Amino acid sequence: MLGPLGHPLTHRRFAAVGAVLAALLPAASAEAESRTQPWTGTWATAQHASYDPGTSEVTVRIPVHVSAGGTSVRIRLTNEFTDQPVMIGHATAGRRAGGSSVSGPRDLTFGGKRAVTIPAHGQAASDGLRIPVAARSDLVVSLYFPGILTHVSQHWMGLQTVYWSPDGSGDHAGDADGGAFTRTDTTFPFLTGVDVRGGAARGSVVALGDSITDGAASTADANRRWPDYLATRLAACTSSAGVLNEGISGNRITARADGNPSALDRLERDVLPQPGARTVILFEGVNDLSWGGATGDQVIDGMKEIAHRAHARGLRMIGATVVPYRGWGDHWTEAKEADRQKVNAFVRDGGVFDGYADFDKAVRDPDDPTRYAAAFDSGDHLHPNDNGMKAFADAVDLAGLGVARDCPSARVRLTPYRPNLPTGHATEITATVTNSGSKPVTQVTTGLCLPHGWTAEAEGPTRTGSLAPGESSKVTWRVTPSAGTAWGPYDIGVRTSFRQGGRTRHDGDTMTADVTPVPSAVRPPYRTFATADGAQYAQNGDQFAIWAGGQDLAGWKDEKAALHVPDAVSASGSVTARLVEQTGSGPSAKAGIALADDLTAPEKGGYAVLTMSRSYGVEFMTDSDGDGKLDTWAGGGSSYHPAWLRLTRDGTAYTAYASADGATWQWIGTATVPSAAVGGLDAGMVASAVNLDHPGQTTTAVFDSFSTTD
């Protein structure tokens, strides 16, 4: 969520759109469609900014995850935030085959024509295209821009990889293969909506919100915003509904910023004219109260006006309570908390909304309701993690939305959030099934879905005879990864079946669990050596882990743990490693690679280290006088993981490089190390907690690639 200054890109003046979208469609097309099922919105985003891309003759490929399915689709485009027209020379849509590839892209037309020019501040909608699209699947829209592209109208926080062809590459909208799309971005350009017809959806739910609705802090490219989770729940109903995400980072009810119209200002654009819109979930207010300077009464007045205007258009209004935010910077005060409680009391009991979703209750800490519970907090104390997003969606009463029919009553959820599964050890994972319906469900059976070779032992029965409304049951398993499982993230699923209304229904959940290293032996040619306390090591195939304390790794102290190969780098060789992560330590802890005549005795010469630290980014340190102490430094910048690190040697000249992807390398520095031996040098991976100011701390560094060249 942005502060008062908004997004750093240049924002353009918000221009109100008075015409409804249907007026943009050709008369013949509109007449034909009036004899069939009406369009329903299945995906949407709120455009709110523009920028100059400085490019020409390019194609963009935009994957979108639709909520409701259908047999025909159309797209909606906007050029609202610019004062110049834009021409689309060729547009296609098709089901995603993976990455930037499309299965059978089909041409889209606009009034029967292949190209369309969208005027400044204008919009355009395509004709309908008959192509089956499944609910909760990926559709890919490709747009070709002939000539110079003077601007891009965008929704900047897409949390989705969008693919661009290089400058001057021409029309690739019809390509099935994605090879032409060599550049990526994470914003949604021009595309503002996708509609379907011919499916099970009989209307759409519009989520009007700020950065939390927009998905801030949720996992990118994973569709884990709370409206995504809500769409998954609705997709299981006999008659489902589309879910349209109209969140904008930094949005407020009571005020606007340049390029960020208030929720009141954008009702006519983002909510009321949405195809098939039947219900609105209003989830705003935290920006108004925290940094926006609004009072609780002002937020309530804004909510009343939004509800009045939505009701006047025949829409159902669901209010969402404002979430806790204590700990988010210095924005929280007791007075603001009182205002938040006042707003939430109005949402629950004010008599204005047709129902409410208690998002506050869903994620607050029971022991301190002014804060997020740790299981739902992304770490900034305002935006939820994926688990918190899921809790929001679970807090929505599907029947209360008034748009879907015959929805499953029972939900199953896995805990804890993102557990660590140490290799070779069993870890407890619990599935909780809750009946949120108004009638009992029976024959409740629950089972885990594990990666191949893993085992799970249930600590109790996995079947429950009956669950009354509001009742829950739990099953706990002891889960053990298979021997030799690579360290890293894995999906664990759960599926429950139950009888409801005379038929069998299902629900499921997925969590990400991290398989983590435990200390173990390392194999030749690797050796270990430590001058830091608490040193331990592990090897799992080509993966390595180092645990280390240590006060410093430069100047007066050289306290580290090393996992190295003797005589690995010749007079013109190199060492390269990929540092996956570094956890459990202070801001100056370092992990990376090292060279030396003898890493067990740096005073023998040739000593250099290239590391990553949270406070100082990449750090290239060398010993200039052969006394075994690192006394020169180069580097800086932001810290990032995973990080590729490389040290090359040409005699006594050492050069350091770093890369985020292992393909594009950044030069960090070159230094002369006069004491470097003529022959081979030891090369290895090192870690130090640098805990002089943080006594007792240790660091854990994980590597998944290590190689040397002569």
Side-chain angles (χ1 to χ4, degrees), residues 658-681:
S659 172
D661 59 10
T664 303
W665 292 85
Q666 175 190 5
W667 175 82
I668 304 301
T670 299
T672 300
V673 185
S675 57
V678 175
L681 299 181

Side-chain angles (χ1 to χ4, degrees), residues 28-104:
S29 176
E31 181 178 340
E33 289 170 10
S34 69
R35 297 193 297 267
T36 65
Q37 179 183 334
W39 291 104
T40 294
T42 186
W43 179 91
T45 194
Q47 299 280 340
H48 60 102
S50 67
Y51 69 96
D52 181 358
T55 190
S56 61
E57 291 288 335
V58 294
T59 307
V60 64
R61 181 154 280 181
I62 312 163
V64 297
H65 196 63
V66 303
S67 52
T71 58
S72 297
V73 300
R74 72 177 181 186
I75 68 170
R76 291 176 279 129
L77 304 169
T78 187
N79 191 32
E80 185 175 347
F81 287 90
T82 70
D83 55 8
Q84 300 175 62
V86 64
M87 181 179 182
I88 311 294
H90 185 199
T92 65
R95 293 182 295 274
R96 193 176 192 180
S100 57
S101 298
V102 183
S103 176

